[in-house]
Amino acid sequence: MAIQWYPGHMHKARKEIEEVMPQVDLVIEVLDARIPYSSENPMVQTLRGDKPCIKLLNKSDLADPETTQAWIEYLEQEQGVRAMAITTLQAGQVKKIPDLCRKFVPGRDKIEKDIRTMIMGIPNVGKSTIINTLAGRMIAKTGNEPAVTKTQQRINLKNGIVLSDTPGILWPKVDNEKSSYRLAVTGAIKDTAMEYEDVAMFAAEYFLTAYPEAIAERYKIKQMPNTDIELLEAIGRNRGALRPGGRIDLHKASEVLLHDFRAGRIGQLSLETPEMAEIEKIEVAKLLAEKQAKEEARKEQERLKRSGKRFS
């Protein structure tokens, strides 16, 4: 499933971020704890340069705790990065963020100047809820649909921290097809832009391997199926997702699986591990290198054709 996105307001947001970034002391990037790799915007690394970064693994209450801890250790291998698992359902966790900012940028306290931070993250990752909790009032609009925040704003938390909020910026194209699917499974992409059955089959195939016990318990399946479509059919039968004649309604079964996952009703499940990310990074780099080589060969052929015409 290839996903390309870049609405006009996101292009504008990137330009605004580039203009403000030189005045920022610290970047806070909000990730989805279930998909830290797939929800990590590659543009953030480019935009922040060598500025320190706190990566918040939000929705950790929905993710596999052991996998989340592995992700924290993995992310902190990068120079200048600290990682922290949080859930916006527990305000106390969110309110620890300013202390972490102060520890990360100790010099600002000494000169009695505010720590200037920029909070970034893809749509629907919980960024606005985090901002409202830190501010203690409703400042940023929240919603279950992606791309709620449209404009950049500065928020003085009155505790030595100033936040620059940004729209949920997305990068032009997701090169890793598996990441595209994971973003769709978690709801980072609007449901109107995806094929439910296609996305649910991706999730079903992964759950069969990674979390068969949780799936069996949730849907009362005694004999686990061998394939993704068989799992969806089993879910459809058990949940009464039937069409006239007793045929399984795969669309409804897909909705059941995806909605249950997003709500945490199946259990605490993660869709990727650091080991998976390392393998996929290599695969993506190889794919991009091949594409670049083909493009360069195409341009060279065009150049030779033009040269031949010129001297004929």
Side-chain angles (χ1 to χ4, degrees):
M1 180 176 66
I3 294 177
Q4 287 186 319
W5 45 30
Y6 219 47
H9 76 272
M10 290 183 185
H11 178 69
K12 179 185 176 186
R14 174 175 178 144
K15 292 185 69 175
E16 291 176 351
I17 290 166
E18 288 175 335
E19 291 173 3
V20 174
M21 190 61 75
Q23 293 124 40
V24 170
D25 301 307
L26 172 70
V27 172
I28 300 173
E29 183 177 14
V30 186
L31 307 175
D32 187 322
R34 298 165 296 178
I35 52 168
Y37 166 53
S38 295
S39 62
E40 189 176 41
N41 189 337
M43 283 171 52
V44 172
Q45 175 72 52
T46 302
L47 292 169
R48 75 177 174 87
D50 59 357
K51 291 184 185 294
C53 179
I54 295 173
K55 293 183 183 284
L56 300 177
L57 276 64
N58 192 26
K59 306 186 182 183
S60 61
D61 56 310
L62 301 175
D64 186 323
E66 289 186 12
T67 304
T68 298
Q69 183 56 40
W71 272 110
I72 289 173
E73 294 169 7
Y74 175 79
L75 293 169
E76 289 191 341
Q77 292 176 15
E78 183 181 346
Q79 183 70 28
V81 171
R82 294 289 182 275
M84 177 181 177
I86 65 167
T87 167
T88 52
L89 298 179
Q90 296 182 18
Q93 290 184 2
V94 178
K95 290 180 180 178
K96 291 178 181 177
I97 297 170
D99 287 337
L100 186 55
C101 291
R102 294 186 193 97
K103 289 177 182 177
F104 216 178
V105 192
R108 303 296 290 185
D109 277 345
K110 293 178 182 177
I111 59 176
E112 296 184 348
K113 284 192 175 183
D114 291 333
I115 298 173
R116 300 163 300 185
T117 68
M118 177 174 286
I119 186 163
M120 307 169 76
I122 67 170
N124 206 28
V125 79
K127 179 171 61 71
S128 295
T129 303
I130 291 170
I131 291 169
N132 292 336
T133 302
L134 289 173
R137 60 192 189 280
M138 185 66 72
I139 289 178
K141 185 179 177 182
T142 61
N144 290 327
E145 281 293 305
V148 171
T149 305
K150 295 291 195 299
T151 58
Q152 190 173 149
Q153 58 181 332
R154 294 185 71 215
I155 304 125
N156 192 335
L157 300 181
K158 306 281 178 71
N159 60 2
I161 309 287
V162 176
L163 276 177
S164 287
D165 181 22
T166 61
I169 59 170
L170 294 165
W171 50 112
K173 182 181 178 182
V174 180
D175 294 308
N176 184 1
E177 186 179 38
K178 292 175 183 176
S179 289
S180 299
Y181 276 108
R182 292 180 194 127
L183 287 162
V185 172
T186 60
I189 298 162
K190 287 185 178 182
D191 289 343
T192 53
M194 60 183 246
E195 291 292 336
Y196 253 98
E197 293 172 35
D198 192 25
V199 174
M201 284 182 188
F202 174 87
E205 182 180 14
Y206 176 74
F207 292 149
L208 279 172
T209 302
Y211 300 104
E213 295 88 358
I215 292 292
E217 183 177 350
R218 173 64 186 171
Y219 299 109
K220 311 303 179 189
I221 300 173
K222 295 180 180 179
Q223 184 67 39
M224 284 300 288
N226 295 316
T227 66
D228 49 11
I229 191 165
E230 288 174 354
L231 176 56
L232 289 177
E233 288 174 345
I235 293 171
R237 275 192 297 272
N238 290 0
R239 289 305 171 88
L242 303 174
R243 295 191 176 196
R247 291 182 298 114
I248 303 296
D249 188 330
L250 285 179
H251 182 83
K252 285 186 178 179
S254 298
E255 286 183 330
V256 169
L257 179 62
L258 293 178
H259 292 174
D260 281 354
F261 167 75
R262 293 173 187 173
R265 288 190 284 264
I266 303 173
Q268 291 179 286
L269 315 181
S270 294
L271 294 177
E272 60 191 14
T273 66
E275 292 77 16
M276 292 166 63
E278 282 296 302
I279 292 170
E280 291 172 21
K281 284 178 183 178
I282 294 170
E283 291 173 347
V284 170
K286 183 179 178 181
L287 179 65
L288 292 177
E290 289 173 353
K291 285 184 177 179
Q292 184 176 357
K294 287 180 180 178
E295 179 62 18
E296 288 175 356
R298 184 189 65 80
K299 288 181 178 178
E300 179 63 14
Q301 281 187 334
E302 289 183 354
R303 187 188 68 79
L304 291 172
K305 283 181 181 179
R306 288 195 297 270
S307 298
K309 288 180 181 179
R310 191 177 303 131
F311 294 107
S312 59

